[in-house]
Amino acid sequence: MEIYVLAVFVLGYFLITIEHTIKIDKLIPALCAMAFSWAIIALCINSFDTWFNPATHSLVDGFGNLPIDDKTHLMEETLLHHLGKTAEILVFLIGAMTIVEIVDYFNGFSVFQKIINFKTKKAILWVFSGLAFILSAIIDNLTATIVLISILQKVVSEKNLRIWYAALIVIAANAGGAWSPIGDVTTTMLWIGDKVSTPMLIQYLLIPSIACAVAATGIASLLPAFKGQIKLNPVKDEGNKYSFRMLVLGLGSIVCVPVFKIITHLPPYVGMMLALGVVSVFAEIYSNRDFALSQATGPDPDGNANESKHHESPVHNALTKIELPSILFFLGILLAVAALESLGLLFVFATILKETISLDLLMVLFGFASAVIDNVPLVAASLGMFTEFAPDDQLWHFLAYCAGTGGSMLIIGSAAGVVAMGMEKITFGWYLKKILWIALVGYFAGIAVFMLMRNLI
């Protein structure tokens, strides 16, 4: 019966990879694959001879000979375990997304628009790449890409030049997200799964990630597209008096989440919920102040009541804008992978791989694979395949780097690339022809630095 569960997963995975062709959101095949996989397991539980217990990280001895009631009970416990681990990731992401939307409610990111005030195309490239690298480590690579391309569209009029900037933003954002526990979904999964710790992740991946971003940006800055002067559109002050305050508060609260985990040893989602609570308090206070001020202005000169500023809770507004489809996609794909892990398929597959190929080469190939297929299930599968490796083993750090930066090779290889593709209408062919080799240079530059540091540390 294992073949049927595997077939369901492969079909779902295939539909996810071609979502742009079939025009079906990837959350749909992910949820269906999850539901059908566990349904097959539940209905045919007596037909399975192996079971992987996530609590002990090993196969259950004599599972095939257990009574059906014991098998069912073990299945329910395993599913509940995986649901709990998945919920930790989802609640964490919901909190982070909501904080970012609250900052955006106060036009906090308009602060960055004022920083971009240079006259050469090359200087603007380095500014955008630097901002993408730093921001993605704090608010994740997807959100950083959205914010910076939104700013890019306001300051640069020339379409052909903008797509070059957008492509390099994607590379820098993915590199920046790889070394931070909150910078990329896959790195967050490894962090929440206690495979990497914040200090060691930064120690091993910060410099390789910088090497990746600097190599790619440096090569690109020598190209004709970034030669000469540029005339930027005049900056419009779209912020309000609370913009900078909310930006600092929002980003600062997210940065403090790893610190909260180190001090309290509580799961990261607890710290993120605390951060959301603190940011929400100030958001409500500031929005109420604005509402009270608008009420105090009284009627306009024509005698009509002033309704120009209708009060709206910034928290409620932010919750309506978070990426719920992404949350449901993660739920579906993580529990679908959990079904394969529970049947022992990932354990067996990992054993075969480790006997036939070196782990370093395997991680490099994972990076290439993440450019073609989604890196979330790749990392989720790795968590089940390499259970014998201790936390902060170099394998986990190498996996975080390769899965995080490898997606830059293709425009569809990362969430940041997909959103850039949509916002700037970048074609797959253009990116493949113009940007692939630049991303490869950055990818292997980071790998070289990582391996050098690994031998020295």
Side-chain angles (χ1 to χ4, degrees):
M1 295 302 297
E2 287 89 346
I3 191 65
Y4 293 109
V5 178
L6 184 60
V8 167
F9 181 81
V10 170
L11 177 61
Y13 210 138
F14 175 70
L15 294 176
I16 289 170
T17 61
I18 61 170
E19 66 164 330
H20 298 291
T21 303
I22 61 178
K23 309 299 181 185
I24 295 177
D25 195 291
K26 61 184 179 182
L27 77 90
I28 297 173
L31 291 175
C32 290
M34 177 269 290
F36 280 121
S37 295
W38 282 102
I40 294 172
I41 293 173
L43 293 173
C44 307
I45 188 65
N46 214 31
S47 302
F48 300 109
D49 295 325
T50 58
W51 192 264
F52 186 84
N53 189 346
T56 60
H57 301 292
S58 61
L59 295 176
V60 177
D61 292 331
F63 179 78
N65 299 322
L66 292 177
I68 188 170
D69 290 342
D70 290 349
K71 287 184 174 181
T72 302
H73 180 68
L74 186 57
M75 178 200 70
E76 292 171 350
E77 284 188 341
T78 302
L79 179 57
L80 186 61
H81 172 89
H82 287 297
L83 178 60
K85 291 298 181 182
T86 301
E88 286 188 21
I89 298 172
L90 301 187
V91 172
F92 179 91
L93 292 175
I94 289 172
M97 289 177 179
T98 306
I99 291 174
V100 170
E101 290 297 341
I102 290 174
V103 173
D104 191 53
Y105 178 89
F106 289 90
N107 293 316
F109 296 110
S110 63
V111 173
F112 294 113
Q113 189 174 341
K114 301 172 185 176
I115 300 175
I116 304 165
N117 189 24
F118 295 88
K119 294 183 178 180
T120 65
K121 296 177 182 179
K122 185 182 297 186
I124 296 295
L125 170 65
W126 282 100
V127 170
F128 270 113
S129 293
L131 286 175
F133 186 86
I134 296 169
L135 269 182
S136 63
I138 303 173
I139 60 175
D140 80 58
N141 48 11
L142 172 61
T143 308
T145 302
I146 294 173
V147 168
L148 291 177
I149 292 183
S150 297
I151 295 173
L152 177 67
Q153 291 173 338
K154 294 176 182 177
V155 299
V156 178
S157 300
E158 188 182 344
K159 166 70 176 177
N160 291 334
L161 179 60
R162 275 208 316 269
I163 61 175
W164 277 97
Y165 282 126
L168 271 298
I169 286 173
V170 169
I171 296 175
N174 286 336
W179 65 271
S180 166
I182 52 179
D184 184 272
V185 173
T186 53
T187 313
T188 300
M189 288 165 57
L190 292 170
W191 180 51
I192 292 178
D194 290 324
K195 299 303 181 184
V196 297
S197 64
T198 302
M200 296 301 290
L201 186 67
I202 295 174
Q203 178 182 341
Y204 277 101
L205 291 192
L206 175 58
I207 296 177
S209 297
I210 291 175
C212 175
V214 169
T217 305
I219 290 291
S221 66
L222 301 177
L223 298 177
F226 297 106
K227 298 291 185 182
Q229 304 287 310
I230 184 173
K231 184 177 180 181
L232 301 177
N233 296 330
V235 176
K236 298 178 181 178
D237 188 5
E238 297 180 351
N240 60 40
K241 59 184 177 181
Y242 302 119
S243 294
F244 183 73
R245 244 180 273 182
M246 289 304 298
L247 176 67
V248 173
L249 180 63
L251 299 186
S253 64
I254 295 176
V255 168
C256 287
V257 172
V259 179
F260 181 86
K261 181 182 185 294
I262 292 172
I263 295 173
T264 65
H265 301 289
L266 288 170
Y269 72 88
V270 179
M272 187 59 76
M273 290 299 102
L274 175 60
L276 176 58
V278 172
V279 172
S280 298
V281 168
F282 284 93
E284 293 290 341
I285 292 172
Y286 292 152
S287 63
N288 282 329
R289 284 180 185 175
D290 278 356
F291 181 58
L293 181 63
S294 68
Q295 281 186 319
T297 59
D300 60 22
D302 296 327
N304 298 318
N306 189 341
E307 298 179 356
S308 61
K309 202 167 186 68
H310 175 68
H311 182 253
E312 178 184 33
S313 168
V315 180
H316 292 177
N317 178 272
L319 286 169
T320 63
K321 293 184 176 181
I322 62 174
E323 281 287 322
L324 191 57
S326 296
I327 297 297
L328 291 175
F329 167 71
F330 297 143
L331 172 67
I333 201 65
L334 292 177
L335 288 182
V337 171
L340 298 182
E341 178 185 330
S342 300
L343 295 177
L345 296 178
L346 296 183
F347 182 84
V348 174
F349 184 56
T351 302
I352 296 172
L353 281 177
K354 284 178 281 189
E355 292 175 352
T356 57
I357 189 172
S358 73
L359 289 176
D360 282 346
L361 179 56
L362 181 60
M363 294 302 106
V364 173
L365 293 177
F366 268 22
F368 280 93
S370 70
V372 181
I373 54 182
D374 201 281
N375 56 3
V376 172
L378 275 177
V379 173
S382 300
L383 290 171
M385 289 166 59
F386 305 112
T387 54
E388 74 275 20
F389 286 90
D392 276 325
D393 188 278
Q394 292 176 353
L395 173 127
W396 300 118
H397 298 122
F398 201 14
L399 173 62
Y401 173 82
C402 292
T405 61
S408 300
M409 294 180 218
L410 298 179
I411 190 66
I412 61 170
S414 66
V418 171
V419 76
M421 185 181 192
M423 293 180 74
E424 282 296 341
K425 302 297 184 288
I426 301 174
T427 64
F428 180 89
W430 181 89
Y431 193 96
L432 186 70
K433 181 180 178 181
K434 304 288 187 180
I435 306 299
L436 170 61
W437 71 276
I438 299 175
L440 276 172
V441 170
Y443 180 64
F444 282 110
I447 288 175
V449 171
F450 176 85
M451 290 184 170
L452 179 63
M453 289 178 58
R454 185 177 62 181
N455 294 329
L456 296 176
I457 296 178

